[in-house]
Amino acid sequence: MPVLHESSPRRQDAIMNIPYFFGLCVLLLHGPLVSGACNVTLHAQREPLNFTSPNYPGNYGNHENCYWDIYPETSGYRVVLEMVYSNIQYKSTCAYDVLTINTINNGDQSKASSRKICGESRWNILIEDDQHIHAVFTTDASGTGSGFLIRYYEKNGTQNCGVALVATSVGKTFTSPGYPNTYFLSQTCTWTITTEHQNQTIQLDTMDSVLQNISSLGTCDNDYVTVYNGQYGYNQLGTFCGNERPVINSGGNALRVRLRTDSSQIYKGFKMLYKAIPATTCNVTLSAVYSPMVIVSPGYPSNYVNGLDCQWTINAPIGSNITVKVLFLDLEKVASCVNDYLLFKDGTTNDARQLAKICEFTSTPIVSSSNHMTIMFRSDSSITGGGFRLQYSSGNNHSDCGLSDLSASSVTWKNLTSPGYPSNYYNNVNCEWKIRAPYGYEIKVEIIYLSLEYSSSCSSDYLVFKDGSSSWSPQLGKYCGVYYNKQLVSSRHYMTIAFHTDGSITQQGYKLKYKAEIFPSTTTTTTERPHVSNCGSSLLTARKYSWIYLSSPGYPFSYNNNVYCEWTISAPVGWKVKVAVKTISMEYDSSCSKDYVLFTDGSPSYATRLGKYCNDVTGYIISSRNTMTITFRTDSSITDKGFSLKYIARTAATTCNFTLPAGYSPMVIVSPGYPNNYVNGLDCQWTINAPIGRNIAVEVLFVDLGKVSSCVDDYLLFKDGTTTDAQQLAKICDSRSTPIVSSSNHMTIMFHSDSTVTGGGFRLRYSSATVCGLSDLSASSVTWKYLTSPGYPSSYDNNLNCEWQIRAPFGYDIKVEIILLSFEYSSLCSRDYLVFNDGTSHWAPQLGKYCSFYNNEQVVSSGNYMTITFHTDSSVTGPGFNLKYKAGIIPSTTTTGCGDDDTISYETKYIESPNYPLSYPDNADCEWTISTSIDGYVIHVEVEYFNIEYESTCSDDYVQLYDVTTFESSMGRWCGTDGPNTQTTGQTMRVQFNSDGSTSLTGFKLSFTAGEPTSGSAASTNIAAILGIVFGGITVVSIATCCYCRFCFKKKSSPNDQQQRNRPRGGNVSFINVISYPQTTPTAPTALPITFAPPPSYNDVVRDDPPPYCLAVPLSDIQLVVTSSRSGASQSQGIDNPAGPI
């Protein structure tokens, strides 16, 4: 399907209305040479070429009627058109002057698609491999414009940008799509560069770069370029954005450059010079930018060679220094590092001070004192190693943040100030500190004084506090302007503080102090510690004969944000607390995790949950003892009226006939006197009502009644409704593992005890549910529990979607035995099925998917969670399933086992860290193997979410990928928030996840697909080189003839008669239009606006490319300008302009 983004020329920015010309116009003897040869057949090559409107960059004439037929030069490749510039007389229907891009099927010459272009609209077009372009440009007798310039080339694959390039000793350039006009929205472009010879490396020099600027967190999040060492993109050399212009060298004979743009703003893009240099050449001058870049040893990741003397001179902006981190190092290790070593010098002169000399790994960054540093690498004639990876970047020489890891003392206060305090802080500072307290403590911070530049939303300079060990943790507060004596308290033993300044105004900064303290359980995990003074007394007494009222602070008006109140209600000994809920009106979410009121059975030290509510429910809640605790908590977002209730003391003997509401959150019913024995002669009744359209599910947590045959003495009776003749659902006097589910929104529970033996009673958990019953189940390590399809053993209903999450105690796994399963059969189990996932959601790795008929099948989780999903369609039904589940001990309690082997074809598979999206466990050791059986396909991996503990060498918690072919080779190791986005060379990938015993974060979710490799092969690039030599000879003859004749003219050509494959198709053409948003420049002072001068000459724009057409040039600079057909027959055709890179 075509991807079309409409744009209106009237929305173009004023800058874009200035004709932005690139030229192809030169003077040859008597007058201008017209570069817009038309009525020609062109062949797209790997290197981009251009064609233009007649007389470009001058105005085209009236009554023009030109066409261009464009074919790929290589069989199986596709043609890409990039409209670099467009200024065609505009009318909404393109009725005056129009460029029409027709996509033609080669087989029957039918038209697959057509697109009319006028005004200043620009398009990026990719056709199918058995199609060609027929472009027609017609003008009327009225106004004219400066026309168009279109870049075209051939490529394989489905991406509409990026090609395979071959680096030679002569420098060449390539650019972002549309450069030097703006690039396109929402594109991912990949260029793979290989050298002409194996014993060469690649030097990549960023000549121009205007991308969306670096984010406030100091990262390139929107539009950015990433460079990888090698063809397959797993060994990153650097990512940059904004106006950064790094110089990058490969370790081997290949580089991969990837551009990613988002859907918001567009900028000028980049231009890069690439060339091949001898592998032994390692004396390079580099520019350090804010974004970290990487230096690798020659040959990396293979071993370096003997006899190297390399030198990298790094220069940073004035006022900055240079920081180098050792990411990987494997050199010959001897005392004093006299054989192979890395030497770091604090400057560029021979007598510069030595900063470090190393031959083994160091985790300490190496920092220069100025904006210059020299790195030397020497290898002797003996043993070699795997080499090194160094990461370097520039930083503010005056923004010394100090130690980033701080410890809070429980005895004394410690201080933290802004860099340079009490003098003004500097611009462009980004500091982050992580404070840790002893386990069981929280961290209290007092802002003694703060004076930062004020801005709306504190978007310029700010100090932000996070309730955890990373910048992803919940925010406690964000400050700018002026503050005194402000207090913040974490909810755990970690706090992260980040200080950011922009490039404008500075002020004095801040001074704060911090300390570890133990607080009562009145903290909040989302913002500052709330004030609890408006909650009233926390100790309340229930009276025997009169109700007492309790409501949320401010009721019936809206409560405040970040409130935490806790009340403990006590009744006389032998009595219970009965609460009647009048109203609850709060911010609602299904798990009541934002604002809620929580009822617990007892005092806080040993209370069990009776219910948690945030929606409008009414009814009674009764404790099982003489105390009840009520907790009211709100977050920092929406507020509402709150709650109102009343409470009273009731005796145990009379408090067992109630009407109760069933909400989404589970609540508990206990026998009178529980956990003590119930008394004789009880006849209790609980009537439970759920919202209309819901069912009621009851789970038996504990039961100890006088057990006799047929339960005639003491028993629990469950009825499907509220009337006396309601159907009986169950009658029990012993334990039961299967939930009891009503068929409507009403259920009655009756409890009877006779005059003989009593027992410990019961605990029931109930909630409103669907026909699927309770969704949250707990696995016991002692007894099996059962789960069946709704209605089992009768046939299940159509159109069911049930999901159950089973949880076992930590350190246990879950074992499921399918006793019987009988479903409708379908290929791939696509109709009715039961699926098991190894985690807390249906996104977790799949353990199994079943339909048809099974019995005695076992499924075991790798951790203490399992999710079961039951789906039915609208056709045939069957008896369903009956299974049992139990918690078992994982063999090794220090390791979380996980992982699986899986084969993929055309679908997408996901891998998640254990417990995702909750924190993964300590000491995890997981391994998955993903493979495909489709010949020619490789495994692609992309990040859906990634957040694991960061360490510079990724030696604590990490994900490591391996490319498995005949041998197994590492593809890289990832930690922090930057996960893998790469592919294998073979058909199998092994994924390893390890965590240590310290910090645990949210973890990761990775997606895996099987598909063709996304980069060209070496063989194809060699063929291109051979073809280039042949066509180059033809070029020499053509240009020499043209210059001898001293004139140029247009040639009419006959239609292309080359053989085409005879396979008709409807045609799929990808169009990407540049929407005419106003261009926005990066916000940093160094990001210059996109302003373009009046039309430059061709030579001004394309200095490093061959001059166009008939200008005499040195033979070594000549590129192909005349093509031949695939059949080898010479074609009569006009001259197309070699684009080179603009």
Side-chain angles (χ1 to χ4, degrees):
M1 293 291 293
V3 181
L4 303 176
H5 303 281
E6 292 294 338
S7 69
S8 169
R10 290 185 291 273
R11 294 177 59 194
Q12 294 280 6
D13 186 86
I15 294 173
M16 296 301 295
N17 290 329
I18 299 172
Y20 183 9
F21 298 102
F22 322 79
L24 303 176
C25 182
V26 297
L27 295 178
L28 180 61
L29 301 177
H30 302 294
L33 173 67
V34 177
S35 61
C38 64
N39 299 348
V40 296
T41 298
L42 309 175
H43 288 88
Q45 304 170 25
R46 312 290 173 81
E47 299 287 343
L49 303 171
N50 295 330
F51 72 93
T52 70
S53 53
N55 200 43
Y56 181 89
N59 281 22
Y60 53 81
N62 293 322
H63 305 296
E64 296 280 4
N65 190 354
C66 295
Y67 73 83
W68 297 263
D69 284 310
I70 308 173
Y71 292 87
E73 187 177 62
T74 308
S75 176
Y77 275 53
R78 306 172 179 217
V79 174
V80 178
L81 295 189
E82 289 177 6
M83 292 197 69
V84 178
Y85 175 73
S86 176
N87 184 4
I88 303 169
Q89 186 182 11
Y90 177 76
K91 183 174 176 59
S92 58
T93 59
C94 293
Y96 299 152
D97 302 343
V98 60
L99 174 65
T100 305
I101 306 294
N102 300 298
T103 304
I104 307 298
N105 293 321
N106 293 333
D108 56 6
Q109 298 300 305
S110 61
K111 185 186 297 183
S113 65
S114 182
R115 172 62 46 183
K116 290 185 176 182
I117 301 170
C118 59
E120 295 176 349
S121 177
R122 296 188 300 122
W123 294 82
N124 187 325
I125 301 171
L126 171 71
I127 66 172
E128 296 293 333
D129 58 3
D130 56 357
Q131 296 174 337
H132 71 274
I133 295 287
H134 179 66
V136 180
F137 181 52
T138 57
T139 68
D140 64 2
S142 58
T144 66
S146 48
F148 59 84
L149 185 149
I150 297 179
R151 180 181 297 143
Y152 66 98
Y153 54 91
E154 67 169 8
K155 72 182 301 293
N156 61 355
T158 58
Q159 287 187 344
N160 56 356
C161 54
V163 293
L165 304 172
V166 177
T168 66
S169 58
V170 178
K172 302 178 186 179
T173 61
F174 69 98
T175 68
S176 53
Y179 178 92
N181 209 328
T182 55
Y183 46 75
F184 300 87
L185 296 172
S186 303
Q187 277 196 312
T188 298
C189 306
T190 302
W191 294 265
T192 301
I193 310 173
T194 53
T195 60
E196 194 174 20
H197 306 291
Q198 286 294 319
N199 60 343
Q200 293 177 319
T201 59
I202 300 166
Q203 185 173 88
L204 191 66
D205 188 351
T206 310
M207 303 174 69
D208 187 22
S209 176
V210 182
L211 305 170
Q212 194 163 357
N213 211 2
I214 201 164
S215 72
S216 60
L217 297 176
T219 56
C220 296
D221 297 331
N222 301 309
D223 303 345
Y224 56 88
V225 174
T226 304
V227 182
Y228 299 90
N229 188 44
Q231 295 188 57
Y232 302 109
Y234 59 84
N235 195 331
Q236 192 175 125
L237 295 177
T239 295
F240 65 92
C241 55
N243 295 104
E244 297 175 329
R245 301 183 182 184
V247 177
I248 298 173
N249 281 68
S250 68
N253 68 327
L255 275 180
R256 189 166 182 243
V257 181
R258 186 178 66 195
L259 167 69
R260 279 197 172 183
T261 68
D262 64 8
S263 58
S264 59
Q265 299 168 345
I266 49 176
Y267 297 87
K268 181 181 178 183
F270 67 81
K271 177 180 181 180
M272 291 188 180
L273 173 70
Y274 65 100
K275 64 178 180 179
I277 59 176
T280 54
T281 301
C282 51
N283 290 274
V284 185
T285 298
L286 304 173
S287 297
V289 294
Y290 184 84
S291 298
M293 297 292 148
V294 173
I295 300 171
V296 296
S297 51
Y300 184 87
S302 301
N303 280 24
Y304 55 86
V305 298
N306 296 121
L308 289 174
D309 277 297
C310 301
Q311 180 172 304
W312 294 268
T313 302
I314 307 176
N315 300 309
I318 296 174
S320 300
N321 54 9
I322 299 163
T323 300
V324 176
K325 295 180 180 179
V326 180
L327 304 180
F328 170 81
L329 192 136
D330 177 24
L331 307 181
E332 180 187 6
K333 180 183 174 183
V334 297
S336 303
C337 298
V338 294
N339 294 350
D340 301 351
Y341 58 81
L342 277 166
L343 180 66
F344 300 83
K345 301 190 74 174
D346 193 18
T348 58
T349 60
N350 292 331
D351 58 351
R353 178 172 65 97
Q354 179 176 310
L355 294 169
K357 182 180 182 182
I358 62 173
C359 55
E360 60 181 324
F361 178 81
T362 176
S363 59
T364 304
I366 300 160
V367 184
S368 68
S369 63
S370 70
N371 62 322
H372 302 290
M373 181 190 287
T374 302
I375 303 174
M376 300 177 179
F377 172 53
R378 179 185 184 276
S379 65
D380 64 4
S381 58
S382 58
I383 300 169
T384 67
F388 57 83
R389 290 183 72 235
L390 308 178
Q391 184 186 76
Y392 67 96
S393 61
S394 68
N396 194 316
N397 208 12
H398 304 286
S399 61
D400 182 15
C401 304
L403 293 172
S404 60
D405 292 317
L406 307 175
S407 59
S409 169
S410 60
V411 179
T412 60
W413 289 94
K414 294 185 178 181
N415 295 303
L416 179 65
T417 64
S418 51
Y421 184 89
S423 300
N424 281 19
Y425 53 79
Y426 287 83
N427 287 320
N428 304 312
V429 173
N430 280 289
C431 296
E432 185 173 289
W433 300 274
K434 183 170 74 176
I435 306 176
R436 180 173 185 170
Y439 189 80
Y441 284 71
E442 296 164 329
I443 299 165
K444 180 178 181 180
V445 170
E446 290 189 10
I447 301 175
I448 301 169
Y449 174 73
L450 181 142
S451 177
L452 307 180
E453 176 190 9
Y454 175 77
S455 61
S456 174
S457 303
C458 292
S459 57
S460 301
D461 301 348
Y462 58 80
L463 188 68
V464 64
F465 298 80
K466 297 297 184 78
D467 191 21
S469 59
S470 76
S471 58
W472 299 101
S473 302
Q475 183 171 300
L476 292 168
K478 186 178 183 181
Y479 300 95
C480 59
V482 177
Y483 282 88
Y484 299 88
N485 302 322
K486 193 76 176 177
Q487 291 190 3
L488 300 100
V489 181
S490 68
S491 68
R492 60 201 77 183
H493 65 297
Y494 278 105
M495 182 188 288
T496 299
I497 304 175
F499 177 48
H500 167 82
T501 71
D502 65 2
S504 57
I505 301 168
T506 67
Q507 295 191 23
Q508 191 173 358
Y510 64 85
K511 180 179 181 181
L512 58 83
K513 60 181 181 179
Y514 58 96
K515 187 179 180 183
E517 294 188 4
I518 296 178
F519 294 93
S521 58
T522 56
T523 60
T524 177
T525 61
T526 53
T527 64
E528 300 173 41
R529 175 181 295 277
H531 298 288
V532 296
S533 58
N534 57 352
C535 299
S537 174
S538 61
L539 299 176
L540 307 175
T541 302
R543 300 172 186 168
K544 297 180 180 179
Y545 306 109
S546 61
W547 292 94
I548 301 176
Y549 289 83
L550 177 68
S551 61
S552 53
Y555 182 88
F557 302 104
S558 293
Y559 50 80
N560 292 325
N561 289 320
N562 307 315
V563 173
Y564 185 96
C565 299
E566 186 176 274
W567 302 275
T568 300
I569 306 174
S570 299
V573 176
W575 293 63
K576 298 181 180 182
V577 178
K578 177 182 179 180
V579 170
V581 179
K582 296 176 60 181
T583 182
I584 296 178
S585 181
M586 303 179 188
E587 179 185 8
Y588 175 74
D589 72 293
S590 60
S591 60
C592 292
S593 61
K594 297 177 179 179
D595 302 348
Y596 60 83
V597 58
L598 173 67
F599 300 86
T600 47
D601 190 20
S603 61
S605 59
Y606 57 88
T608 57
R609 178 182 293 188
L610 294 172
K612 182 181 181 183
Y613 295 101
C614 57
N615 56 333
D616 190 11
V617 297
T618 57
Y620 297 99
I621 303 166
I622 306 99
S623 67
S624 66
R625 47 177 69 90
N626 70 324
T627 54
M628 179 191 291
T629 300
I630 302 174
T631 304
F632 175 54
R633 197 169 201 164
T634 73
D635 67 359
S636 59
S637 55
I638 300 169
T639 64
D640 207 329
K641 187 164 60 174
F643 71 86
S644 175
L645 56 84
K646 60 183 181 179
Y647 58 93
I648 196 171
R650 284 287 186 257
T651 62
T654 59
T655 311
C656 60
N657 289 274
F658 297 107
T659 299
L660 304 174
Y664 291 91
S665 299
M667 292 186 64
V668 173
I669 298 172
V670 296
S671 53
Y674 182 87
N676 298 320
N677 281 23
Y678 55 87
V679 298
N680 297 121
L682 289 175
D683 277 296
C684 299
Q685 179 173 306
W686 294 267
T687 302
I688 306 174
N689 301 308
I692 295 174
R694 304 283 294 182
N695 306 83
I696 299 163
V698 177
E699 185 180 7
V700 179
L701 304 178
F702 170 81
V703 63
D704 177 21
L705 308 181
K707 179 185 175 184
V708 297
S709 176
S710 303
C711 298
V712 294
D713 295 342
D714 300 349
Y715 58 82
L716 277 165
L717 179 66
F718 300 82
K719 302 191 74 174
D720 194 17
T722 58
T723 61
T724 54
D725 60 346
Q727 179 188 355
Q728 180 178 309
L729 295 170
K731 183 180 182 181
I732 64 171
C733 55
D734 198 1
S735 62
R736 177 187 174 103
S737 57
T738 305
I740 301 160
V741 183
S742 68
S743 63
S744 69
N745 62 323
H746 303 290
M747 180 189 286
T748 302
I749 304 175
M750 300 176 178
F751 173 53
H752 170 79
S753 67
D754 65 3
S755 58
T756 58
V757 180
T758 66
F762 59 84
R763 288 184 73 237
L764 309 177
R765 183 168 66 187
Y766 69 96
S767 65
S768 71
T770 65
V771 70
C772 306
L774 292 171
S775 59
D776 294 319
L777 307 175
S778 59
S780 168
S781 60
V782 179
T783 60
W784 289 95
K785 294 186 177 182
Y786 292 83
L787 178 67
T788 64
S789 52
Y792 182 89
S794 300
S795 292
Y796 51 80
D797 292 330
N798 290 319
N799 304 311
L800 290 178
N801 280 289
C802 299
E803 183 173 291
W804 301 275
Q805 183 189 96
I806 306 177
R807 179 174 184 172
F810 186 78
Y812 285 71
D813 57 13
I814 299 164
K815 181 180 181 181
V816 171
E817 289 189 10
I818 300 175
I819 302 169
L820 177 68
L821 183 146
S822 180
F823 293 169
E824 175 190 12
Y825 172 76
S826 61
S827 175
L828 302 178
C829 293
S830 58
R831 296 178 180 173
D832 300 350
Y833 58 79
L834 190 68
V835 65
F836 299 83
N837 295 93
D838 193 20
T840 59
S841 76
H842 59 270
W843 297 105
Q846 191 176 111
L847 294 169
K849 186 177 184 181
Y850 299 91
C851 61
S852 187
F853 183 84
Y854 283 90
N855 59 3
N856 301 322
E857 187 79 11
Q858 290 192 359
V859 182
V860 181
S861 68
S862 65
N864 64 323
Y865 281 99
M866 181 188 290
T867 299
I868 303 176
T869 304
F870 176 48
H871 168 84
T872 70
D873 66 0
S874 58
S875 57
V876 181
T877 65
F881 67 86
N882 180 16
L883 60 83
K884 60 181 182 179
Y885 58 94
K886 187 178 180 182
I889 297 177
I890 300 174
S892 171
T893 58
T894 60
T895 301
T896 300
C898 49
D900 199 2
D901 296 345
D902 211 342
T903 300
I904 56 178
S905 297
Y906 302 102
E907 72 277 22
T908 299
K909 291 290 179 71
Y910 296 91
I911 286 178
E912 297 173 338
S913 51
N915 293 339
Y916 177 86
L918 304 176
S919 296
Y920 52 81
D922 292 336
N923 305 310
D925 184 7
C926 308
E927 184 176 299
W928 301 265
T929 300
I930 307 293
S931 59
T932 181
S933 59
I934 302 175
D935 291 339
Y937 273 26
V938 299
I939 304 298
H940 300 260
V941 58
E942 289 189 359
V943 171
E944 302 292 322
Y945 179 84
F946 202 88
N947 183 23
I948 61 179
E949 181 185 9
Y950 174 76
E951 193 272 332
S952 59
T953 60
C954 292
S955 60
D956 295 343
D957 300 351
Y958 61 85
V959 170
Q960 186 155 359
L961 304 183
Y962 295 88
D963 188 1
V964 182
T965 54
T966 306
F967 303 98
E968 183 176 275
S969 59
S970 173
M971 301 173 67
R973 180 179 286 191
W974 289 264
C975 61
T977 58
D978 186 16
N981 191 330
T982 183
Q983 64 181 2
T984 60
T985 59
Q987 294 174 257
T988 302
M989 179 187 292
R990 184 166 69 88
V991 183
Q992 183 178 350
F993 171 58
N994 284 92
S995 67
D996 63 4
S998 58
T999 305
S1000 291
L1001 300 178
T1002 314
F1004 62 85
K1005 180 180 178 181
L1006 304 176
S1007 65
F1008 295 82
T1009 55
E1012 295 179 351
T1014 57
S1015 59
S1017 66
S1020 63
T1021 54
N1022 290 338
I1023 292 171
I1026 295 170
L1027 291 174
I1029 294 171
V1030 174
F1031 294 145
I1034 301 173
T1035 302
V1036 172
V1037 175
S1038 300
I1039 293 182
T1041 302
C1042 180
C1043 294
Y1044 180 79
C1045 295
R1046 299 177 63 177
F1047 69 93
C1048 291
F1049 54 90
K1050 296 182 182 179
K1051 288 189 176 183
K1052 306 292 183 180
S1053 72
S1054 60
N1056 192 340
D1057 60 358
Q1058 61 186 337
Q1059 296 294 321
Q1060 304 291 351
R1061 284 177 293 170
N1062 188 23
R1063 180 165 63 92
R1065 64 191 297 131
N1068 289 321
V1069 183
S1070 295
F1071 295 91
I1072 296 183
N1073 183 17
V1074 169
I1075 301 175
S1076 306
Y1077 295 140
Q1079 298 183 34
T1080 306
T1081 58
T1083 56
T1086 56
L1088 301 176
I1090 308 175
T1091 56
F1092 304 120
S1097 69
Y1098 178 83
N1099 287 335
D1100 287 339
V1101 179
V1102 204
R1103 296 185 189 88
D1104 52 351
D1105 296 326
Y1109 300 100
C1110 303
L1111 185 64
V1113 295
L1115 295 182
S1116 61
D1117 290 342
I1118 294 175
Q1119 293 190 20
L1120 174 65
V1121 291
V1122 177
T1123 63
S1124 60
S1125 71
R1126 293 182 192 147
S1127 63
S1130 178
Q1131 298 292 311
S1132 173
Q1133 49 195 318
I1135 302 169
D1136 55 319
N1137 172 41
I1142 292 180

